[in-house]
Amino acid sequence: MASLRNAFKSNKAHRERHQPEARAHLGFLEKKKDYRERARDFNEKKGALKGLHKRALNKNPDEFYFHMIRSRMEEGEHVETPKEEECTPEQLKLMQTQDLKYIAHKRLVESKKIDKLQAQLHLVDAEKPNNHVFFVDTKEEVMRGVWMAEVVSSRTAPDRLGCLDGVIRQEQPINRVNTTLRLQQLRVAMSAVKLVRGAPLKAYIITSDDEHQTEMVSPSDKRRQYVTGFTGSAGTAVVTQNMAALWVDGRYHLQADQQLDCQWIVMKSGQDQVPSISEWLKSVLSSGDRIGADPKLVSADQWLEWRSDLAESGIKLDAVQANLVDAIWNEDNGRPKPNPRPAFIHDIAYAGQTWQEKVGVVRNELKELGLDGIVVTALDEIAWLLNLRGADVPYSPLVKSYAYVSLQQVVLFVEPLKLKVAPIREHLDSDRCPREQPDDLCVEIRRYENVFNDLPRLTAKANSVLLPSRYAYSGGVSFAIYETIPADKRRTSPSPLILLKATKNAIEVEGMKNAHMKDAVALCDFLSLLQEQVHEGKVQWDELKVVHTLDEYRQQQDMNRGPSFSTIAAFGPNGAVIHYRPSLETNRIIDNSSFLIIDSGGQYLDGTTDVTRTFHFGRATQRQKEIYTRVLMGAIDLATLVFPDSIDDTRIDVIARQHLYSAGLDYLHGTGHGIGSFLNVHESPIQIRIYGKVGHHFEENYFFSDEPGFYQENEFGIRLESILRVINKTFEHQRDGRFLGFEVVSLVPFDPYLIVPELMTFKQLHWLNHYQAMVRIKVGEELKRQNRMRAFYWLMSKTRHITEPCHRSKNGSPGSINASSFISRIIIAALVSVQLAVALLMSS
């Protein structure tokens, strides 16, 4: 019983004893073991503190302990050892760029906030009504609601025509293109992993080029135009996931602003503080981001430059083989089909040399350079080399193809249908190719698309292969072609075919002169009709009608094969757009109130032409006449220039601009470009541009343009263009060195009623009168031969002799009249009068 009672007592639950009432706030009384554990912990910590205090008291107070592990003794003193650099210079540079990116990012974020807030101030459907004052010029504007604003996304570009402070006005340029859907589709394609073969792209670059870096591409290759809506021949677009930008040069600043919608930023190259493409991408992207582009549509030089610049910020440029624009642009939404017309032979009567002779010259160039072969991708070089022409590119008679020329063989990569005509294969001797003897020339034909697979095999035995680099208008090989040749075999420099092609032989020189004669006849005949009907006012003329009618007049001339570029007919304010092309949206009626610029050219079997003249069918203001005269003075000074052959093209541009400079005026385009012989209207190497970074030297029988101008935005434009031929100049007492000069080839008169003779020097007036007399004689005879008498009489009135003002001397400064020059002018005027009288009698 006692054991049971004891067992029951041992199973009783433990109950904490309560504290006395005065200590109740301390909680339950602790168990004895808890007290011991707490006391032990307290004593251990107390002992540790006591030991540390004792050690501190035993230390030498004069001893230096701060950063002792990083110090050393120097002359009895402790000196702290400097820390090793924790970051490499590359890391520091990267961190600095990241800081700049962060600042740029914050600025962008804040500017978007500002745009959004400003846009909200103008909400017409806001929940809370706001009071705003809008200023309008007329009641009609109020009725039309021009002042109404529409809120758009934060991607709206600032400082754009019709795009102000994040708001798109309802009144937009009539030729502006809405690219919203196209950009959306492109951005979806940029994120398609299967299409881009990897991580989504943060940006995509779209150039204006085709696979051959051609300046004027076929309609089916106008990818940049499709994405942006901008129709100019040059420009590069970059699209990110939330922005879009287009880079254009001075020729297209105004045009791009008009045609691009408000989602686009216009990067006006050449202006201060405008970033390059790589600089802009580095400011809006981050390290590790991936950028894509089609390597076939970017020159190797440009690709390597972009890749190097972007790599500094850790951004990768990838070659995306599938073109993203092709993925969203097809025949269902308006993409044109390639031209199916076959190639044709350029006869020796116009070429002046056989293709075999040209290949021989190219091989000699390769031997001198120590090269085994060259990959030719420029279409005009292939057309010139093989005496072939085609219709694959508008306005230029070119065939889409690649060529490989070595010391043993010539291979042409082209669509078989282009050479389906038997005479062409016979011309190239292709059916009996290849041959064992390298001297027995023939051209082996392979399919166009096989070039990337076949080039490595063709160059397998070669030690060095020339891949042409960028030079003037020649873009060089694409990055895709560049990658097909092993690095140890690549040699890069400008193609030797550029200078061979630019130097016209005797047959080509004569052909160019004949082509310009025919072109002058067509232009004079057309201009006489236009002036007559505008003055009468019975027939209405507009810009599009000028384009179509002028093309018809050129087609009436022998050997004409169409225009050499899209004709520019720009009246009034449209003339201020340097490379304006009339359209249904921008077409203007032509009257006598302003200037009309006609910039046009023709392709003839024996040559290519390009000429610009400016007219006014009413009364120009004195200021307009003075500007016209200054432009003409610059053109004359360049045409009469004599200089050593060591002077390059960039250094003579100031000659044409000096008279505009003296009035505080200038123009935003080059003054001259090379021109081909039944080839491209823009031909390397000549580029007369004062802002050019690379100079190109002149050689005898180069042909190029002389085209200064002036453009007053929203008012008018003036441009005068003639084609010049480079000739050797010899002197009686000439010393060492060679001198060059120019011979004018274009034969279209300048308008004497827009000239202020008092501004011109005796030399300029003498040249002008001599030129007008030459045009009168040469073109007048041909007009009479073709029985175009209306044009003949118009030509007589436009080529009248301009008498030198009496207050000027020979050098153009104030002074007395030179007696001999006065008598000579009287004689010239009398001869011109006699010629006009004879012409009138003959016509009657």
Side-chain angles (χ1 to χ4, degrees):
M1 191 68 179
S3 60
L4 178 63
R5 188 166 51 250
N6 293 337
F8 176 78
K9 288 181 180 179
S10 64
N11 290 333
K12 287 176 66 176
H14 171 75
R15 291 183 181 180
E16 295 287 350
R17 290 176 296 165
H18 288 284
Q19 294 270 23
E21 208 170 307
R23 295 171 55 88
H25 66 281
L26 298 176
F28 293 111
L29 287 173
E30 294 179 355
K31 292 181 180 180
K32 186 176 181 179
K33 63 178 181 180
D34 294 329
Y35 176 80
R36 284 199 302 265
E37 290 174 2
R38 190 157 61 85
R40 188 183 302 111
D41 178 71
F42 172 80
N43 289 326
E44 286 177 356
K45 291 177 178 178
K46 183 177 179 181
L49 288 172
K50 186 176 180 181
L52 291 172
H53 183 65
K54 186 176 181 180
R55 285 176 59 188
L57 292 175
N58 292 334
K59 286 182 179 180
N60 183 355
D62 296 328
E63 195 172 355
F64 179 74
Y65 285 93
F66 181 69
H67 278 189
M68 184 173 285
I69 60 172
R70 296 186 181 274
S71 66
R72 65 183 185 277
M73 292 291 295
E74 285 185 7
E75 298 179 357
E77 295 182 1
H78 282 278
V79 178
E80 188 175 0
T81 304
K83 282 187 176 182
E84 295 182 2
E85 290 292 335
E86 297 179 359
C87 300
T88 65
E90 291 76 13
Q91 291 173 324
L92 290 173
K93 190 173 182 180
L94 180 61
M95 286 189 288
Q96 290 172 357
T97 59
Q98 295 296 327
D99 293 340
L100 293 174
K101 280 188 203 171
Y102 176 77
I103 294 171
H105 170 71
K106 293 299 291 182
R107 289 181 62 183
L108 182 63
V109 170
E110 295 303 321
S111 66
K112 287 182 178 180
K113 288 181 181 178
I114 294 171
D115 291 342
K116 187 175 181 180
L117 291 172
Q118 289 177 335
Q120 290 173 351
L121 292 174
H122 301 280
L123 281 172
V124 295
D125 56 347
E127 296 179 0
K128 296 181 180 180
N130 295 318
N131 295 323
H132 299 287
V133 178
F134 293 90
F135 296 92
V136 295
D137 296 326
T138 63
K139 292 182 179 180
E140 286 76 18
E141 289 184 356
V142 179
M143 299 302 295
R144 291 201 313 267
V146 173
W147 49 272
M148 298 287 283
E150 177 185 356
V151 177
V152 295
S153 69
S154 60
R155 289 195 295 269
T156 301
D159 301 326
R160 287 285 316 284
L161 187 63
C163 313
L164 182 62
D165 294 333
V167 179
I168 295 182
R169 297 174 180 172
Q170 287 184 355
E171 190 172 310
Q172 295 284 306
I174 54 179
N175 57 337
R176 183 160 284 178
V177 180
N178 186 346
T179 61
T180 302
L181 179 59
R182 302 172 190 180
L183 288 173
Q184 288 175 350
Q185 292 174 335
L186 182 61
R187 287 174 174 132
V188 170
M190 289 164 57
S191 301
V193 175
K194 290 185 178 180
L195 194 61
V196 300
R197 302 286 183 90
L201 301 178
K202 297 298 183 180
Y204 191 67
I205 302 175
I206 309 149
T207 66
S208 302
D209 297 332
D210 61 7
E211 295 88 341
H212 308 273
Q213 285 61 61
T214 312
E215 183 183 15
M216 289 184 280
V217 300
S218 66
S220 60
D221 287 327
K222 294 184 176 180
R223 298 174 178 87
R224 188 229 61 225
Q225 178 174 325
Y226 172 76
V227 172
T228 64
F230 168 67
T231 61
S233 64
T236 302
V238 179
V239 177
T240 68
Q241 289 296 341
N242 56 7
M243 284 184 286
L246 177 72
W247 277 258
V248 291
D249 60 46
R251 296 172 296 171
Y252 298 114
H253 288 177
L254 186 57
Q255 181 179 342
D257 202 13
Q258 291 179 349
Q259 291 184 330
L260 295 177
D261 65 22
C262 292
Q263 298 178 87
W264 289 87
I265 304 169
V266 179
M267 296 293 190
K268 300 179 179 180
S269 299
Q271 291 189 352
D272 294 338
Q273 299 180 342
V274 174
S276 65
I277 290 175
S278 54
E279 288 171 343
W280 184 74
L281 283 170
K282 288 189 287 187
S283 70
V284 299
L285 300 182
S286 302
S287 178
D289 285 346
R290 183 179 179 227
I291 297 174
D294 188 337
K296 298 186 295 296
L297 309 182
V298 183
S299 71
D301 292 335
Q302 185 65 81
W303 187 284
L304 296 173
E305 181 182 323
W306 283 341
R307 189 172 69 179
S308 175
D309 289 345
L310 294 169
E312 294 176 356
S313 298
I315 300 172
K316 185 179 182 182
L317 176 61
D318 265 354
V320 180
Q321 301 302 327
N323 190 284
L324 302 190
V325 180
D326 292 350
I328 66 173
W329 186 37
N330 49 50
E331 293 180 7
D332 294 336
N333 56 4
R335 186 172 189 173
K337 294 182 178 180
N339 195 323
R341 290 173 56 187
F344 59 94
I345 301 168
H346 187 48
D347 198 271
I348 187 67
Y350 313 120
Q353 280 181 294
T354 65
W355 69 264
Q356 291 91 341
E357 292 172 329
K358 294 178 180 179
V359 168
V361 175
V362 171
R363 284 180 170 173
N364 289 335
E365 291 284 337
L366 293 177
K367 290 176 183 176
E368 289 184 10
L369 296 171
L371 301 169
D372 298 319
I374 177 175
V375 180
V376 188
T377 61
L379 300 185
D380 60 333
E381 293 179 21
I382 297 172
W384 173 85
L385 178 66
L386 299 178
N387 286 347
L388 286 179
R389 300 294 189 268
D392 290 354
V393 175
Y395 310 116
S396 297
L398 306 175
V399 186
K400 269 201 164 183
S401 55
Y402 296 94
Y404 175 66
V405 180
S406 71
L407 302 179
Q408 292 79 32
Q409 61 186 141
V410 180
V411 181
L412 180 66
F413 296 89
V414 65
E415 287 295 338
L417 290 177
K418 296 294 178 182
L419 305 182
K420 65 181 180 180
V421 183
I424 296 182
R425 301 186 68 86
E426 184 179 345
H427 166 71
L428 299 175
D429 208 3
S430 300
D431 294 331
R432 293 185 293 275
C433 209
R435 297 177 180 176
E436 295 181 359
Q437 298 297 328
D439 295 335
D440 197 2
L441 287 177
C442 65
V443 178
E444 183 183 349
I445 305 299
R446 301 194 184 190
R447 297 187 67 87
Y448 179 82
E449 61 271 16
N450 291 347
V451 63
F452 297 103
N453 292 327
D454 290 1
L455 273 180
R457 290 193 287 268
L458 285 171
T459 59
K461 295 182 179 180
N463 294 319
S464 56
V465 178
L466 179 60
L467 299 175
S469 58
R470 183 170 50 193
Y471 191 68
Y473 295 103
S474 305
V477 300
S478 68
F479 183 70
I481 291 291
Y482 180 86
E483 287 284 275
T484 62
I485 307 299
D488 61 329
K489 297 183 180 182
R490 295 177 197 147
R491 303 293 184 271
T492 56
S493 68
S495 170
L497 280 75
I498 291 175
L499 304 187
L500 294 173
K501 173 169 55 66
T503 306
K504 310 299 186 286
N505 58 50
I507 298 295
E508 290 174 320
V509 169
E510 192 62 26
M512 289 288 281
K513 291 182 178 180
N514 292 336
H516 280 83
M517 171 63 76
K518 291 175 284 193
D519 210 58
V521 169
L523 264 170
C524 291
D525 200 9
F526 165 73
L527 291 170
S528 65
L529 172 68
L530 176 63
Q531 179 175 302
E532 180 182 277
Q533 294 189 347
V534 169
H535 283 168
E536 290 176 351
K538 297 178 181 178
V539 179
Q540 182 172 284
W541 281 85
D542 57 39
E543 295 167 339
L544 285 175
K545 186 176 179 180
V546 167
V547 173
H548 298 146
T549 308
L550 180 52
D551 288 346
E552 293 173 359
Y553 271 74
R554 277 201 171 93
Q555 290 170 3
Q556 297 171 13
Q557 295 300 308
D558 188 29
M559 295 189 285
N560 179 261
R561 293 298 181 269
S564 58
F565 58 95
S566 179
T567 297
I568 297 172
F571 181 75
N574 287 343
V577 181
I578 296 173
H579 272 209
Y580 168 81
R581 265 38 175 212
S583 63
L584 290 174
E585 296 81 10
T586 62
N587 193 27
R588 281 183 178 271
I589 302 297
I590 296 169
D591 54 32
N592 61 359
S593 64
S594 188
F595 282 114
L596 170 67
I597 294 179
I598 299 180
D599 185 349
S600 64
Q603 290 285 8
Y604 300 84
L605 290 177
D606 51 358
T608 301
T609 69
D610 182 6
V611 61
T612 307
R613 293 292 184 264
T614 303
F615 302 94
H616 199 301
F617 300 124
R619 291 189 175 184
T621 66
Q622 186 63 24
R623 177 177 178 271
Q624 290 173 337
K625 289 182 179 180
E626 288 181 1
I627 295 175
Y628 179 96
T629 305
R630 289 183 181 278
V631 172
L632 176 60
M633 291 162 65
I636 293 173
D637 283 357
L638 184 58
T640 57
L641 181 65
V642 178
F643 59 100
D645 63 356
S646 59
I647 302 296
D648 62 51
D649 51 4
T650 62
R651 296 168 65 184
I652 68 171
D653 195 359
V654 70
I655 300 295
R657 299 175 188 263
Q658 60 179 324
H659 302 291
L660 288 169
Y661 284 170
S662 63
L665 308 175
D666 197 7
Y667 50 93
L668 296 177
H669 60 76
T671 303
H673 58 80
I675 184 168
S677 177
F678 193 36
L679 284 171
N680 289 348
V681 73
H682 290 168
E683 181 178 77
S684 300
I686 298 303
Q687 288 182 315
I688 302 177
R689 46 180 66 176
I690 200 167
Y691 49 84
K693 297 179 181 178
V694 178
H696 315 96
H697 291 280
F698 293 88
E699 289 294 337
E700 187 179 9
N701 289 334
Y702 280 7
F703 285 76
F704 70 97
S705 69
D706 170 9
E707 50 180 310
F710 175 76
Y711 310 91
Q712 185 67 52
E713 188 172 346
N714 298 323
E715 291 188 26
F716 63 86
I718 298 170
R719 185 162 64 251
L720 301 173
E721 177 185 16
S722 300
I723 300 301
L724 306 180
R725 170 196 171 202
V726 182
I727 59 175
N728 273 322
K729 301 290 287 188
T730 57
F731 304 94
E732 183 179 355
H733 302 291
Q734 184 173 346
R735 295 187 178 182
D736 295 338
R738 188 168 62 114
F739 285 81
L740 301 173
F742 305 130
E743 173 189 57
V744 66
V745 178
S746 299
L747 296 172
V748 181
F750 300 100
D751 194 338
Y753 302 100
L754 295 175
I755 297 173
V756 182
E758 291 79 8
L759 289 176
M760 303 177 71
T761 65
F762 175 86
K763 180 181 177 181
Q764 292 165 346
L765 277 173
H766 177 74
W767 184 95
L768 177 62
N769 282 323
H770 181 270
Y771 174 78
Q772 300 282 72
M774 179 180 67
V775 171
R776 173 188 287 250
I777 294 170
K778 290 185 176 182
V779 181
E781 288 295 327
E782 185 63 22
L783 287 171
K784 287 188 292 182
R785 192 187 69 81
Q786 296 188 23
N787 197 29
R788 300 175 187 266
M789 298 312 297
R790 181 194 62 228
F792 176 78
Y793 297 131
W794 176 88
L795 183 68
M796 293 300 109
S797 67
K798 292 296 183 182
T799 56
R800 65 178 180 82
H801 183 83
I802 299 177
T803 305
E804 182 187 356
C806 296
H807 65 282
R808 286 188 177 268
S809 62
K810 271 193 173 185
N811 60 7
S813 59
S816 60
I817 302 174
N818 183 280
S820 61
S821 64
F822 179 71
I823 295 172
S824 64
R825 290 198 302 273
I826 293 176
I827 294 173
I828 293 173
L831 290 173
V832 169
S833 301
V834 170
Q835 184 186 19
L836 179 59
V838 171
L840 291 172
L841 289 173
M842 290 177 64
S843 62
S844 60

